[in-house]
Structure formats: C-alpha cells, structure tokens
Amino acid sequence: MNSNEPNLQSAMDWLTRMVDGCLKVYFGHSEKFEVPALSFYDNEGWLADLLERQKPNYQEFTLLMLALAAHLQPNLLNKLIAGYLPEGGDFPEFGGVKGANHRGLLPTGETAQFILAGDDLGKRLEVQRILGSDHWFAQQKMLWLEPVPEGEPVMSGRLVLDAEVVECLTVGAVSKPRFSMDFPAEYIETQMDWNDLVLHPNTSRQIREIEQWIKHNDTLLFEWGMKKKIKPGYRALFYGPPGTGKTLTATLLGKQTGKDVFRIDLSRVVSKYIGETEKNLSRLFDKAENKNWILFFDEADALFGKRTEIRDAHDKYANQEVAYLLQRIESYNGLVILASNQRGNIDEAFVRRFQAIVHFPIPGPEERAEIWRKTFPAQIRIHKDLDWDKVASRYELSGANILNITHYCALQCLAGDVLMIDLNRLETAIQRELIKEGKVF
C-alpha cells in the first residue's frame, strides 16, 4: 500500500466536509461554517514529509487538496454541487471549468475563493496572493493558475498541480520522464563500471575532478558560503573523435554518484521556426530544475558551433537561440556536459563558460592493448600467436572499434563452435571494421 494512502483518504474526507460546509452556508442550509479538524497518520510518506517541511496553513493545504482531488476523486465537486442543485443549472460563483478529456469539474482560482473566502473581499485577495508568483507554491513550481485569455479574470484559470507532485502523492515516487516532443532527452545507463573503461591518464585525472565537484559542491556552496560568489552548477566540454568514451564516461559519472543521466537529442530541440527552439529548451530545463540530473548534450556543435555574422533574420534568431541556451545552462544547478568531435568546432566565446575541457584522444598503444585484453570475454581462449601489444601498436583503433571487432569475433566463435581466436581471425575482423569505416587496410 502507498504510504500516502491513509493520509490522502483523510485529506479527501476533510476536503469533502470543507466544500459541503461552504455550500450549506451559501444555499442557506446553515448559518455558519467552521473549518473541520484534520488528523493525520504518523508515517514517512511524501505528504507527511511535505507537511513537516513546508508547514502549510489550512488555506494552502486546501488549495493543494483541491487541485489533487480531480486526480483521486474525479466526481467529487460535481457530486457535492448536485446535492444542492439536483436539477442542474449555472453556478458561476463556484467557478470551475471543463477539461478536454476530463468529464468532471476542474477547480479554478474562483473555486478556491468560494471555498476559502466566500464574499469576503479581503480573504478573496489573500487567496489570490497565495496563488501569486511570490508564494512558495510558484517558486517551487508546485501549484499555479493556468494562464487565461487576455482580458479574462486571472482567478478563472484552472488550478494546476505539478505532475511530479501528483505522482509523489499518488504512487509514492516520480517516474523517469519518457522521451517525447515535450522532453527531447533519453535516460541513459550502463552495466559497465570504471574498470571497464580505459582512458588516457590526463583524461582520467580531469574526470576525477568532476567527481570531486559532484561530491563536495553542496559543502562548498552552503557550508563554506561560496554560493554568493560562484554560479551554480558545473559545465564541462568533452571533445574527441567518435568512439573514445565520451558518452560512456558521462553515464559512469551518473552511475558512480547516484545521479540520473539524460542525453539530449539536439535534432529534436532545434527548430526552423522562430522561438520554437527556446520553447523546447525551456521545457527541458524546467523539467530538470532541482533534480540534480546530469544533462549530456551529444554533438553539441549543432547549437554551440561558431556563431556567424548577422547577415539576415535567420542568423539573428540563430544567435538568440544560442544566447538563450547559454543562459539556461549557466543557471542550471547541476552538471551539464557538452560533447563534440573537435574542440575547434565550438565557439571560443563559449569555452570561457566551461569549468572543465576534457580531451578524449584516440587511445595510444598502451591503452589499446589494455582495451583488447579487457574486451574479449573469458570464454574465448587467446591463441599463443596473438600478442595484444603488437596488435595495439599496428592498428590505431578507437575503443568503439575494438568493441565492434570483439563482438564480431565472439559471434564467429559461437557460430563455428571454436572458442578460440588467433591472429588470422582477428586481422580478418579488423579488416572488416576498417572497410566499414572507409579506411584503407
């Protein structure tokens, strides 16, 4: 059972009594209404944690539960109103709107004012203040009013509870976002660990520095008082040829430090339509805010390439897109990694914004020999004529190339039922990989 469930049931029962009491007064069935007592079960659910952390007053709690009610009891408001208007009819004082798919009544700011303030102007303005941009609801992106068409009352906007808050309250955890047009990023993970990755010593040293930032950043900012002096977050550029471990390193950084890694598909972010790229980026960063995710922008040249001189409106807006992305990256309080095949592809004006610029070179002979030894599965025996040091010296291959070759060799061994690799079979596989890459053997 969801640990929030007992408290949610109590909260929905309490909200029902609240709304019913207000309706009784409005329709003359009662002279006054007192806020009913609310008791909670002592547990460690997300709702209990929220109450302890934020200590909402009864108006704030009412707003939260009112916005949540449609997710738990879709007919709650309709059923209560039908008890006083059995023949139906217009009830503008109560507010509420119909959704595109939802068949019940969705509460608005006016609904909240009816329940919490009635006709009391001062109390109605207080509800409006709670739903304003200065309140912790808005600052924490937890609860807000849906924008309304120009000229219509602000409080006629629908009460919107953040989808992740709804998930926390209803199922007890937030699921990872799925790749979509609204979230053009893919969650990436690996079963490999650092021992499976072979990097140049200088590259490894710089990756350890990024790990140190992840580990000690909170202490530096909050305990050592550096928050007012340095910008939040950390920005790194990984550059080097394809197949040299840039993506795997980013994934392992997340695995090692317990942070989710999302690879951004810039082809889905960049739009030919003016303003759409900024909207796509805004949705992405709004979703990532305060999650401590690692954002990995693969093939970042698409947005961070050398800026052009402004010759026409297209150049102007392209530069605006880059400026917007820079602003969002610099304000993001987590780790952002940009990957490029060549450092020279990245505008030097952007390079100043990175705390780390990490080169991923084609592995040298020593690294290649180590990759060969680590990549072949233990089930395959290595013939005595095969010297990994000599193979590594002769063939300049990336780690991805070596993995492809190993994959091919392993399948050939299984197909032929001969679990041994010799130099001849290995070089045949290497030749196949080089031809595929368009290189002369």
Side-chain angles (χ1 to χ4, degrees):
M1 183 176 69
N2 182 350
S3 58
N4 291 317
E5 187 175 324
N7 285 336
L8 286 177
Q9 186 61 60
S10 294
M12 288 298 103
D13 292 342
W14 178 85
L15 179 66
T16 300
R17 295 196 301 273
M18 277 279 294
V19 178
D20 188 58
C22 294
L23 291 170
K24 282 181 179 177
V25 172
Y26 179 82
F27 285 101
H29 295 188
S30 177
E31 292 186 2
K32 64 178 183 177
F33 166 67
E34 293 184 1
V35 178
L38 174 62
S39 59
F40 276 125
Y41 297 92
D42 186 15
N43 63 30
E44 297 181 355
W46 196 88
L47 178 57
D49 180 66
L50 173 67
L51 297 177
E52 175 63 27
R53 186 174 70 251
Q54 295 294 157
K55 296 181 171 52
N57 57 36
Y58 94 91
Q59 292 101 330
E60 293 165 338
F61 185 76
T62 301
L63 288 167
L64 284 170
M65 293 303 106
L66 188 60
L68 180 66
H71 300 273
L72 297 176
Q73 298 181 8
N75 199 39
L76 187 148
L77 297 180
N78 296 74
K79 186 176 180 180
L80 288 170
I81 292 173
Y84 296 90
L85 292 173
E87 303 298 325
D90 204 15
F91 191 6
E93 295 89 341
F94 193 80
V97 294
K98 293 287 186 179
N101 299 314
H102 182 70
R103 301 291 296 275
L105 188 68
L106 296 170
T108 61
E110 292 168 343
T111 310
Q113 288 178 317
F114 177 89
I115 296 169
L116 291 171
D119 292 330
D120 188 315
L121 181 59
K123 290 182 179 179
R124 292 179 72 87
L125 293 175
E126 175 62 18
V127 174
Q128 186 167 339
R129 185 195 66 79
I130 293 174
L131 292 170
S133 59
D134 292 334
H135 191 270
W136 59 269
F137 278 161
Q139 292 177 350
Q140 297 185 23
K141 295 182 174 63
M142 184 176 292
L143 176 68
W144 61 90
L145 284 174
E146 187 176 54
V148 297
E150 186 175 355
E152 293 191 15
V154 173
M155 297 301 286
S156 64
R158 181 171 59 97
L159 282 177
V160 181
L161 191 60
D162 180 72
E164 292 184 359
V165 174
V166 174
E167 267 198 293
C168 285
L169 289 171
T170 54
V171 299
V174 177
S175 59
K176 292 180 176 64
R178 289 177 291 184
F179 185 93
S180 66
M181 287 298 293
D182 289 332
F183 188 75
E186 173 192 11
Y187 172 71
I188 55 176
E189 58 183 336
T190 181
Q191 295 189 17
M192 298 175 72
D193 56 38
W194 287 123
N195 290 330
D196 298 309
L197 180 65
V198 179
L199 297 174
H200 188 278
N202 289 339
T203 305
S204 295
R205 175 181 54 77
Q206 289 183 282
I207 298 304
R208 297 289 90 76
E209 291 173 0
I210 297 175
E211 276 192 290
Q212 291 168 9
W213 174 84
I214 296 173
K215 181 178 180 180
H216 300 296
N217 182 55
D218 285 348
T219 300
L220 184 67
L221 291 183
F222 303 109
E223 295 182 23
W224 287 23
M226 293 290 286
K227 184 179 180 181
K228 59 186 177 182
K229 299 178 182 178
I230 59 177
K231 293 180 179 179
Y234 196 94
R235 291 153 290 281
L237 171 66
F238 289 1
Y239 75 97
T244 50
K246 299 185 292 294
T247 301
L248 179 57
T249 299
T251 311
L252 287 172
L253 275 170
K255 181 178 181 179
Q256 182 71 21
T257 57
K259 299 185 184 302
D260 292 336
V261 183
F262 287 89
R263 178 170 52 202
I264 289 82
D265 182 354
L266 283 174
S267 68
R268 298 287 290 270
V269 172
V270 179
S271 172
K272 64 181 179 180
Y273 299 106
I274 293 172
E276 283 300 308
T277 300
E278 290 91 329
K279 287 182 182 178
N280 295 337
L281 290 167
S282 178
R283 285 194 293 264
L284 173 66
F285 279 98
D286 286 348
K287 189 76 173 176
E289 196 68 33
N290 298 317
K291 300 288 197 319
N292 282 324
W293 291 343
I294 296 175
L295 300 182
F296 180 70
F297 287 83
D298 202 3
E299 298 183 12
D301 319 51
L303 266 181
F304 281 87
K306 294 182 182 296
R307 286 180 287 186
T308 59
E309 295 181 4
I310 298 177
R311 295 186 296 270
D312 54 30
H314 181 271
D315 293 336
K316 175 183 177 183
Y317 286 110
N319 286 346
Q320 285 181 359
E321 291 170 354
V322 173
Y324 179 78
L325 179 55
L326 276 175
Q327 182 264 317
R328 291 307 301 259
I329 284 179
E330 288 196 312
S331 63
Y332 181 62
N333 57 7
L335 172 60
V336 176
I337 299 172
L338 276 64
S340 172
N341 290 341
Q342 293 185 7
R343 175 175 174 169
N345 291 344
I346 304 297
D347 194 308
E348 283 300 317
F350 307 145
V351 171
R352 298 193 305 269
R353 318 292 180 100
F354 298 122
Q355 280 96 334
I357 298 177
V358 186
H359 184 208
F360 286 75
I362 288 288
E366 291 184 5
E367 286 93 36
R368 290 199 293 271
E370 187 177 355
I371 295 172
W372 280 117
R373 292 187 182 96
K374 288 186 174 184
T375 305
F376 266 88
Q379 290 83 351
I380 296 180
R381 290 179 292 122
I382 308 300
H383 194 277
K384 61 182 181 180
D385 71 350
L386 207 164
D387 186 322
W388 291 126
D389 292 322
K390 291 181 179 179
V391 171
S393 297
R394 182 175 180 185
Y395 299 105
E396 187 177 278
L397 298 163
S398 70
N401 291 142
I402 293 173
L403 181 58
N404 287 340
I405 294 165
T406 303
H407 186 194
Y408 175 78
C409 289
L411 289 175
Q412 292 299 107
C413 286
L414 288 169
D417 200 26
V418 179
L419 302 185
M420 176 180 285
I421 185 75
D422 58 21
L423 182 60
N424 183 58
R425 298 180 73 180
L426 179 69
E427 289 191 328
T428 299
I430 292 174
Q431 182 178 12
R432 176 180 178 274
E433 180 71 11
L434 291 174
I435 292 172
K436 187 192 76 176
E437 293 277 315
K439 300 176 181 177
V440 179
F441 182 72

